[in-house]
Amino acid sequence: MNNQSIFEAYPRNDASLLIPLLQNIQTEFGYLPEDQLEKVAEHIGIPLSRVYGVATFYNQFRLKPLGKYVIRVCRGTACHVKGSLDILRILESELGIKAGDTTKDLMFSIETVACIGACSIAPVIVINDEYFGGLTPKSIQKLIKKFKDKG
Amino acid sequence: MKDFFDILSRKHTDFKVTPDLFMDIIHESPDITLPAKTAQEIREYKSRLTLEKTDKPAIIVGMGTCGLANGAQGVYDTFKEELEKRGIEAELISTGCVGYCAEEVIVDIKLPGYPRLSYARVTPKDVSNLIETTLINHEPLRDKVLGVYHEKSEKRWENLPVIDNIPFFKIQQKVVLENCGIIDPENIDQYIVRGGYKGLSRVLKNMSPEDVIEDTLKAGLRGRGGGGFKTGMKWKFARQSEGDKKYLICNADEGDPGAFMDRAILEGDPHRVVEGMVIAAYAIGASEGYIYCRAEYPLAIRRLRKTLADAEKYGLLGDNILNSGFNFKLKIKEGAGAFVCGEETALINSIEGNRGMPRPRPPYPTTEGLWGKPTVINNVETFANVPVIIRRGADWYASIGTATSKGTKIFALSGKVKNVGLVEVPMGTTLRQIVFDVGGGIPDGRRFKAVQIGGPSGGALPESVIDTAIDYENLKEIGAMMGSGGLVVMDETTCMVDLAKYFMTFIMSESCGKCIPCREGTKRLYETLERLTRSYKNENDPEEALLRFQGMVYLERLAKVITTTSLCGLGQTAANPVLSTLHYFRDEYEAHLYERKCPAGVCKELLTYKIDTDKCTGCTLCAIKCPVDAIVGERKKAHYIISDKCTRCGQCMMNCNFNAIYVE
C-alpha cells in the first residue's frame, strides 16, 4: 500500500501531530503496522519508544489487524447494570477469544468501550457501524449465529 | 440553497452590509433600516427557518446517536422514498436529540398552520401510515403521538397532550438544550434565527473582556465538567496571566461511562458551543483554541467540522470577527480514547502529542498550560451556558438554581428507569423528582435501590438521601459528586459490591499509571472486592480466607489514602464508588463477607443454581448445554444440578425454555 500521501499531509518534526498521524495510519491500514511506526518516528523526529508509548497508551490504537466484523461491547454503567458483562462473556465463549483479540480466521474482533452513549437501549453492542440494543443472553447468541452464517 | 449570507450580500441598493452589521440586521436591530425588498426577503426566510409560516409540510427526524442506534436512518430514508413516490412536496430535516431517548425514533411533523406534532417510537413501517393520516388527511395518528408543541397557530390538534405537560418534560427547564432536537444542527441560520450569536455580537460591540468575566461571575456559572470551579474565576486568572499567546480548549472528551450530555449538545446544537468559546476567548484574550473531542463520537466530529466551516464563512470565527478586530482560530483535535484525558493537564499533554498523563498543579494551566502558555479548559456544557448568560443577562441566569449553584444542569438518566434520556433541570431539583417524576420510576414493578451519580468519581446514593436538592455542595456532603452528570438508576437486582468492583475495573484500566496510589491502590481495592465475591471453591490457598477479611478491614483506610495522595482528580476521586457503597450499603458487603451470599443475586460465584422440579419437563437441553456435566437426570423426568460441579456459567438458565432454573 502506498501511504506516502498520508505522511505528505503532515509537516516533519512536529510532535503535536503524532496522534493525528497515527489515527490517519490506522484508518488506512486498520491497525498500526510495525514498519509504519518506524516511519512515523522518523517523520516526526522522536524515538520509536515514544511512538510506541503513545500507541499503547490510548484505547483507540491497535497493533494487530482487526477482523471483518468488529464487535464493540459497551461497558458503560447503564449497560453494566443491565447485564453487559454477561453479554461480553457469552460473546467471548461463542467466539473463543477474549476482549481485545481477533479470531484466527480474521472474522471477528471483540473490543470493549467505556460508553457508546446510547444508554437508552442498554445493553448495547456495535458490530461495525450497526447498533444492536436491548440484548439478552438469548438474543446475543442468535445474533452471533446470524453473523457466523453470513460469513 | 440560499442563506442569510446570500440574501444580504446581494446588492439591492446602495446599502452596504458590513460583517458587524450582519448580526444586527438578522436580529432586527431597531436602528437599522433595510431596503424594503431585502427586509421582506429576510422576514420570509426567517419564518421559513422557524417553520412558523411555511407553505409545505416539514418532517423532522431525530438523528442523534441514540436515534440512529434505534434506526432513525431507516425512518429517514423511508420518508424520503415515500414522499418521492407519492409526489408530496415536504421538507425533510434531520435534527439532534430532544432528550427523550426511551421514545426514539422521534419524528416531528409540522403542517402549515398547525403546531408542531411529535411522534414517538416510529419505525420504517409506520412511515406510510403517518404520511397518509397526517400529511394527507390532516389527522394525527393518535397512538403514536408523543405530544404537540405549544405554539401559536391558526389551527389546532384536538385532544392531544402538550409536550411541556407530559411527565418527562414537565419539571424540566430547557436552557442549554433549548435548541436540541428542535433545529437542524448543521444549519447555521436556524441557530441564528433563534437568537444565536446574538450574545457574541453584543460582547464584541458593547462589552470589554472584563465586563464579560464580571457577568460570568455574577451569573454564578460553575464548571459543568465535574469539579464545579467558578468559570469566571478561571477566566480571570487566565486574563491576568502574562503571555504573548493564550489558548482556549473545549473539553469534549466525555469518557464517563453513562454520560452522554456533551455528545448530545455537540450533535444537537454545535454552534452554541462555538459561540460560547468565542465569547470566552475574547474574555481571556486567546487567539487560538481547540475542541478536544473523543474519536468515539464520529457524528459529533463531523457536525463540528461543518459548524466551524460555516462560522468562518459568516465571519464569526477566524480573523477580525464581526469587524471587531478580534481574531480567534478554532481547531478540532480528536482524542484517542483515554478517560484520564478529561483531566486538564493530561488533556494538554495529549494535544501536545504525548501520552495523556497529568502533572502536578500548580502551576495551573491558566498560568502555564498548552505549550507553556496560559490556557483555559472548560467543558462542553459550560461553554454552552455562556451565550445564554450574555443574551438573557447574568441576573436572569442567577435567578435559577440554589444559593451556591446557579443555572440548570443536564443529566443523562439511564439504567433501571422507565424514561431514559437527557434531562435538564434547575439546580436544586431533588434526585427523587428526577428519578420518579421525570424518569417515571422503576420498570417491571421492582423497587428503587440506589442512584449512581457522577460516574467513576461519584457515588451511589440510597433512598434515604434522594430528597436532597442537587447542587455541588449538597452532593459532596452526601458522598457523591456532580461529575459530568451521569445518573444511573438501580433497582434491587443490582449488587452494590459488584457495582464498586465494576468502577474499580474501569479505573484500573484507565489509570495512567504515573502515581502509585492510583495505579496500585485501585488494583488492591479491586482485588479486595474480587475476593469478596469469590466462592469457597475457588479459594485454593488457605490464606485466601484470611485475606478476605484483612482486605475488608483495610478497605476504607486504603480508599482514603488513595483519595488524599493521588496526583490528579482521577485518582483523588477513584475510591468514591467504594466509599459511598460502603457507607450506604454496608449490610450488602457484610452478606458477601460473612455469609458468602449476594442478596441481589448478581455475583455469580456466590449463587446456587437450582432446578424447580415442578417446572422441569426433562427436555435435557440444560444437561446438553452444561459444559461441565453438572446436571443429571433422566429424560422426561426432573433434572438436578450438582452444586459442587457447577461453575455458575449460567448456560442452563439461559437455555431453559420453561424457566425451571433459578438462583439462590
Side-chain angles (χ1 to χ4, degrees):
Chain A
M1 205 180 290
N2 177 19
N3 66 324
Q4 210 45 53
S5 53
I6 298 180
F7 285 93
E8 272 166 18
Y10 295 89
R12 298 183 81 92
N13 301 326
D14 182 348
S16 73
L17 296 175
L18 175 57
I19 293 169
L21 182 52
L22 290 177
Q23 282 169 330
N24 207 334
I25 289 171
Q26 183 157 295
T27 317
E28 187 71 30
F29 290 84
Y31 72 110
L32 299 174
E34 200 181 319
D35 58 329
Q36 294 299 319
L37 290 185
E38 283 166 14
K39 278 188 197 164
V40 170
E42 196 265 330
H43 188 85
I44 301 264
I46 53 172
L48 180 60
S49 60
R50 216 186 115 197
V51 177
Y52 182 78
V54 168
T56 50
F57 182 81
Y58 295 98
N59 293 336
Q60 192 192 4
F61 297 123
R62 292 177 295 266
L63 302 175
K64 281 186 282 186
L66 277 182
K68 183 175 168 195
Y69 299 113
V70 181
I71 306 172
R72 294 198 170 83
V73 182
C74 180
R75 290 290 291 126
T77 323
C79 285
H80 177 76
V81 301
K82 287 195 163 179
S84 81
L85 190 60
D86 287 340
I87 304 290
L88 177 63
R89 293 284 172 263
I90 292 166
L91 273 174
E92 287 177 338
S93 81
E94 289 280 323
L95 298 174
I97 49 168
K98 289 276 165 204
D101 288 343
T102 301
T103 52
K104 280 214 181 78
D105 58 2
L106 288 184
M107 283 306 283
F108 293 96
S109 298
I110 306 178
E111 288 183 346
T112 55
V113 292
C115 187
I116 295 174
C119 309
S120 61
I121 49 170
V124 55
I125 65 169
V126 185
I127 302 183
N128 294 349
D129 285 322
E130 210 178 333
Y131 291 78
F132 299 92
L135 293 168
T136 62
K138 268 199 183 135
S139 69
I140 184 73
Q141 283 174 318
K142 272 192 201 142
L143 188 67
I144 286 308
K145 191 168 177 307
K146 206 179 91 191
F147 273 89
K148 271 184 179 167
D149 293 345
K150 208 157 78 173
Chain B
M1 217 180 88
K2 241 194 309 189
D3 55 17
F4 278 131
F5 206 75
D6 292 325
I7 297 172
L8 287 174
S9 55
R10 258 183 307 138
K11 292 185 187 82
H12 285 296
T13 55
D14 50 354
F15 187 81
K16 195 167 171 345
V17 180
T18 54
D20 55 330
L21 269 181
F22 188 72
M23 281 296 131
D24 288 345
I25 293 169
I26 301 171
H27 292 307
E28 283 176 53
S29 178
D31 25 287
I32 296 169
T33 340
L34 276 182
K37 205 175 158 199
T38 313
Q40 173 67 12
E41 206 171 338
I42 285 191
R43 248 194 317 273
E44 271 172 28
Y45 178 58
K46 270 165 95 171
S47 63
R48 234 184 24 249
L49 280 177
T50 52
L51 301 174
E52 249 169 46
K53 279 204 180 102
T54 46
D55 43 5
K56 55 183 174 183
I59 298 160
I60 306 124
V61 186
M63 294 175 81
T65 295
C66 43
L68 289 171
N70 276 304
Q73 190 65 50
V75 173
Y76 184 91
D77 294 345
T78 319
F79 261 114
K80 202 168 174 193
E81 250 168 58
E82 281 281 317
L83 289 172
E84 265 168 33
K85 212 168 75 190
R86 294 168 186 250
I88 297 174
E89 248 194 77
E91 223 171 318
L92 196 56
I93 302 166
S94 80
T95 175
C97 177
V98 72
Y100 207 166
C101 302
E103 300 287 346
E104 296 273 9
V105 176
I106 293 176
V107 174
D108 290 3
I109 297 182
K110 163 88 188 167
L111 297 185
Y114 284 94
R116 191 163 169 162
L117 179 59
S118 199
Y119 287 110
R121 294 178 192 255
V122 178
T123 63
K125 279 186 199 145
D126 300 318
V127 168
S128 156
N129 210 348
L130 280 175
I131 292 179
E132 197 74 38
T133 51
T134 317
L135 260 66
I136 296 176
N137 298 333
H138 292 201
E139 276 294 322
L141 184 60
R142 288 194 181 263
D143 49 345
K144 284 269 162 195
V145 168
L146 184 68
V148 286
Y149 281 84
H150 189 72
E151 284 172 2
K152 264 189 255 159
S153 50
E154 302 145 33
K155 296 168 196 157
R156 279 171 46 201
W157 300 105
E158 295 300 334
N159 298 328
L160 289 181
V162 176
I163 282 273
D164 299 337
N165 290 342
I166 61 178
F168 181 76
F169 292 105
K170 201 162 183 183
I171 64 162
Q172 290 199 51
Q173 186 177 2
K174 303 254 183 185
V175 174
V176 174
L177 294 177
E178 59 186 349
N179 293 332
C180 275
I182 307 293
I183 64 167
D184 176 357
E186 296 191 19
N187 185 332
I188 184 169
D189 290 349
Q190 288 215 6
Y191 177 67
I192 291 177
V193 94
R194 285 177 189 266
Y197 291 111
K198 209 175 188 169
L200 175 65
S201 86
R202 179 177 300 165
V203 162
L204 293 181
K205 217 167 274 167
N206 309 326
M207 292 168 85
S208 70
E210 285 74 18
D211 291 343
V212 179
I213 292 174
E214 208 44 55
D215 259 23
T216 316
L217 276 172
K218 211 163 87 188
L221 178 64
R222 294 171 68 175
R224 295 291 194 253
F229 190 74
K230 284 204 177 96
T231 308
M233 230 24 169
K234 207 186 234 183
W235 293 1
K236 201 173 198 170
F237 291 147
R239 170 102 215 144
Q240 288 162 349
S241 291
E242 295 200 8
D244 50 340
K245 198 166 188 183
K246 287 174 189 171
Y247 291 98
L248 182 75
I249 299 172
C250 173
N251 181 354
D253 191 59
E254 190 173 47
D256 260 41
F260 51 93
M261 63 287 295
D262 291 350
R263 194 210 70 205
I265 297 172
L266 291 173
E267 285 176 4
D269 199 6
H271 278 287
R272 189 184 194 88
V273 181
V274 171
E275 186 185 357
M277 285 189 76
V278 183
I279 293 172
Y282 174 76
I284 64 167
S287 53
E288 254 181 69
Y290 291 93
I291 301 178
Y292 186 88
C293 186
R294 307 183 73 186
E296 284 92 334
Y297 288 169
L299 182 64
I301 291 175
R302 213 179 67 216
R303 290 208 169 138
L304 272 175
R305 288 196 201 288
K306 171 132 181 37
T307 303
L308 296 192
D310 286 347
E312 267 167 40
K313 178 180 150 193
Y314 271 52
L316 299 163
L317 258 185
D319 289 332
N320 195 14
I321 296 172
L322 294 179
N323 220 8
S324 65
F326 173 63
N327 308 325
F328 182 60
K329 287 191 186 68
L330 196 50
K331 283 185 209 154
I332 300 170
K333 201 96 183 176
E334 279 182 47
F339 179 65
V340 67
C341 287
E343 203 280 340
E344 38 183 29
T345 56
L347 195 154
I348 287 171
N349 262 326
S350 180
I351 292 184
E352 289 175 356
N354 305 317
R355 293 207 222 172
M357 285 183 165
R359 59 158 176 80
R361 302 178 303 175
Y364 286 92
T366 44
T367 43
E368 217 173 279
L370 191 60
W371 291 298
K373 310 284 183 199
T375 304
V376 161
I377 303 178
N378 284 133
N379 154 277
V380 172
E381 198 186 329
T382 316
F383 282 126
N385 270 288
V386 174
V388 79
I389 292 177
I390 304 287
R391 204 174 73 227
R392 305 187 71 167
D395 292 329
W396 171 83
Y397 190 86
S399 71
I400 309 169
T402 65
T404 56
S405 309
K406 300 298 183 189
T408 58
K409 175 78 190 98
I410 307 172
F411 292 100
L413 185 63
S414 65
K416 310 264 180 75
V417 62
K418 272 184 199 142
N419 302 328
V420 177
L422 213 59
V423 178
E424 182 173 5
V425 287
M427 294 276 189
T429 308
T430 67
L431 283 165
R432 189 187 295 279
Q433 282 176 303
I434 295 177
V435 175
F436 289 93
D437 296 349
V438 181
I442 318 294
D444 306 325
R446 294 218 174 91
R447 273 192 38 215
F448 172 86
K449 181 169 187 177
V451 52
Q452 210 283 339
I453 184 166
S457 309
L461 305 171
E463 190 157 12
S464 59
V465 293
I466 67 165
D467 285 312
T468 311
I470 299 176
D471 68 10
Y472 291 96
E473 278 67 32
N474 286 350
L475 279 178
K476 230 174 228 165
E477 202 157 293
I478 54 176
M481 183 178 158
M482 190 73 84
S484 59
L487 227 159
V488 186
V489 182
M490 286 148 203
D491 66 11
E492 53 206 340
T493 60
T494 310
C495 168
M496 289 307 174
V497 180
D498 177 71
L499 184 78
K501 198 169 85 176
Y502 160 78
F503 279 117
M504 284 314 112
T505 318
F506 179 80
I507 292 288
M508 228 168 39
S509 73
E510 292 297 336
S511 168
C512 80
K514 190 172 181 177
C515 76
I516 299 166
C518 174
R519 185 183 66 226
E520 302 296 327
T522 54
K523 198 163 187 323
R524 294 291 98 81
L525 283 181
Y526 171 79
E527 285 168 359
T528 305
L529 298 169
E530 171 67 23
R531 279 200 192 96
L532 272 187
T533 55
R534 207 175 289 168
S535 77
Y536 289 112
K537 263 181 38 189
N538 293 344
E539 282 181 357
N540 307 321
D541 195 339
E543 269 180 38
E544 281 280 294
L546 286 175
L547 285 172
R548 259 167 66 93
F549 280 90
Q550 192 210 25
M552 227 9 241
V553 170
Y554 289 119
L555 191 65
E556 206 164 340
R557 204 173 106 188
L558 174 59
K560 283 184 180 154
V561 170
I562 297 171
T563 308
T564 46
T565 55
S566 285
L567 170 63
C568 80
L570 177 105
Q572 284 155 14
T573 55
N576 276 0
V578 174
L579 286 169
S580 74
T581 48
L582 203 57
H583 180 70
Y584 290 115
F585 301 94
R586 190 172 279 268
D587 52 336
E588 223 165 310
Y589 277 85
E590 283 169 359
H592 282 75
L593 182 67
Y594 299 125
E595 297 162 46
R596 300 216 188 221
K597 276 209 169 128
C598 176
V602 173
C603 298
K604 279 242 156 68
E605 287 196 18
L606 304 182
L607 305 177
T608 314
Y609 281 76
K610 286 195 171 158
I611 296 180
D612 185 338
T613 45
D614 292 338
K615 282 188 183 162
C616 180
T617 62
C619 73
T620 73
L621 185 61
C622 58
I624 295 167
K625 285 279 175 184
C626 179
V628 291
D629 295 325
I631 303 179
V632 291
E634 270 178 60
R635 180 170 274 280
K636 294 198 176 161
K637 279 185 185 156
H639 279 54
Y640 298 92
I641 297 174
I642 307 168
S643 201
D644 278 353
K645 267 193 177 181
C646 174
T647 56
R648 278 95 182 157
C649 69
Q651 282 284 335
C652 51
M653 196 161 146
M654 222 182 299
N655 284 291
C656 179
N657 292 322
F658 307 95
N659 289 327
I661 302 176
Y662 62 99
V663 288
E664 246 180 25

